[in-house]
Amino acid sequence: MPIDFLTFTPYDINYEKLMIGFEKQPIFDNEKLQRNYLNKWKTQLKSADNDLLRKMRNPSYLQKLIDNFQPHEKFQHKTNFNTGVSVLINFVVEPLVQMAKSDQQYSQDVNLNKFSKELKLVTWTPPENQKEDIEIKKEPIIFVHFYNAQAFTYLLIDGNHRVANAIQQGKESIPSLIIDPREMIAGDYFSSKFDKLFFIFQNEIYYLYQCKTQYQMTDKELLTRSYLSNQQFNFLDILPYLDLGK
């Protein structure tokens, strides 16, 4: 059972139900190969969440997590799959915030109309109650490439209040820093190994589909692209371009 790192409680994932949904997606020509591929991922994910659960059952480990918990250093995204299964991915954002502060020269302006739900370019959650006295940060907001189970988008992992405030003030754009998946994986900006692996798996499904449909790659070529083949991100050359400018 993986962990909700905002409440430090385990939650259940029905892996069989989750994988049945992915089995229906046209990725590999060979259906048996696709089932084997998904079973390998299921084994990896279950192993990671079992390891994490064992750690959480250690009172000293759990207490250390609670003592060091800082809500502003964490970001959690929940994906609801069409099979009725929901999975949380917990990110550690503080190192990325420090990166945004030091690398502001690499930021790019994002047009605020790109946050419209109709465009489906950005996955983000507007604050329910934007407090007037909240301190608005100055550094760029932070995006990561993300497949949200419906479309390929940018996931906003830091900056919800800044975006809401900028929209409220009628601004046209906001500075942003886009972190590519390779950097996310290499930097290990996740609360656990399970979170990291599920982030990779969830996005890899989309990338493999793109390799299949847009680049007509064979099943053998698709397998070499998988993180399971070499523990690396192998899709930088086919990342979709999403225009966040004017």
Side-chain angles (χ1 to χ4, degrees), residues 64-157:
K64 183 178 179 180
L65 285 179
I66 294 173
D67 291 343
N68 294 330
F69 178 66
Q70 297 292 335
H72 66 277
E73 296 180 357
K74 306 286 185 180
F75 173 76
Q76 183 184 91
H77 179 74
K78 180 179 182 180
T79 299
N80 299 311
F81 295 93
N82 58 15
T83 54
V85 177
S86 297
V87 179
L88 303 174
I89 300 180
N90 298 276
F91 298 85
V92 177
V93 299
E94 184 59 26
L96 295 171
V97 171
Q98 296 306 316
M99 185 189 303
K101 288 179 179 179
S102 61
D103 294 346
Q104 293 193 37
Q105 69 272 26
Y106 300 114
S107 68
Q108 66 181 71
D109 286 341
V110 172
N111 195 305
L112 287 167
N113 65 20
K114 303 299 183 181
F115 289 83
S116 165
K117 288 186 177 181
E118 288 73 21
L119 291 178
K120 298 180 179 179
L121 288 175
V122 177
T123 299
W124 77 298
T125 305
E128 292 184 4
N129 297 304
Q130 179 77 340
K131 298 179 181 179
E132 294 183 2
D133 60 345
I134 190 171
E135 181 181 356
I136 303 299
K137 299 177 183 177
K138 303 296 183 182
E139 58 266 22
I141 61 175
I142 302 173
F143 290 116
V144 296
H145 298 79
F146 191 70
Y147 173 63
N148 65 7
Q150 296 180 343
F152 181 82
T153 70
Y154 288 115
L155 174 64
L156 181 65
I157 64 173

Side-chain angles (χ1 to χ4, degrees), residues 34-51:
Q34 182 157 328
R35 285 195 298 272
N36 289 339
Y37 162 81
L38 292 172
N39 281 333
K40 287 181 179 179
W41 263 116
K42 181 171 66 174
T43 299
Q44 292 273 338
L45 293 167
K46 292 182 75 171
S47 175
D49 83 32
N50 286 334
D51 288 346

Side-chain angles (χ1 to χ4, degrees), residues 221-239:
E221 289 173 314
L222 294 179
L223 285 177
T224 63
R225 290 273 179 159
S226 174
Y227 182 82
L228 297 175
S229 69
N230 61 3
Q231 306 297 294
Q232 294 182 17
F233 180 79
N234 303 299
F235 300 99
L236 277 184
D237 58 328
I238 61 98
L239 278 179

Side-chain angles (χ1 to χ4, degrees), residues 173-203:
S173 63
I174 189 169
S176 70
L177 198 64
I178 299 174
I179 312 296
D180 75 52
R182 182 176 58 180
E183 191 166 2
M184 287 294 298
I185 296 166
D188 200 14
Y189 301 120
F190 304 91
S191 296
S192 72
K193 182 178 180 180
F194 170 82
D195 295 295
K196 177 180 179 179
L197 286 176
F198 202 88
F199 173 83
I200 295 169
F201 169 68
Q202 183 170 332
N203 286 283

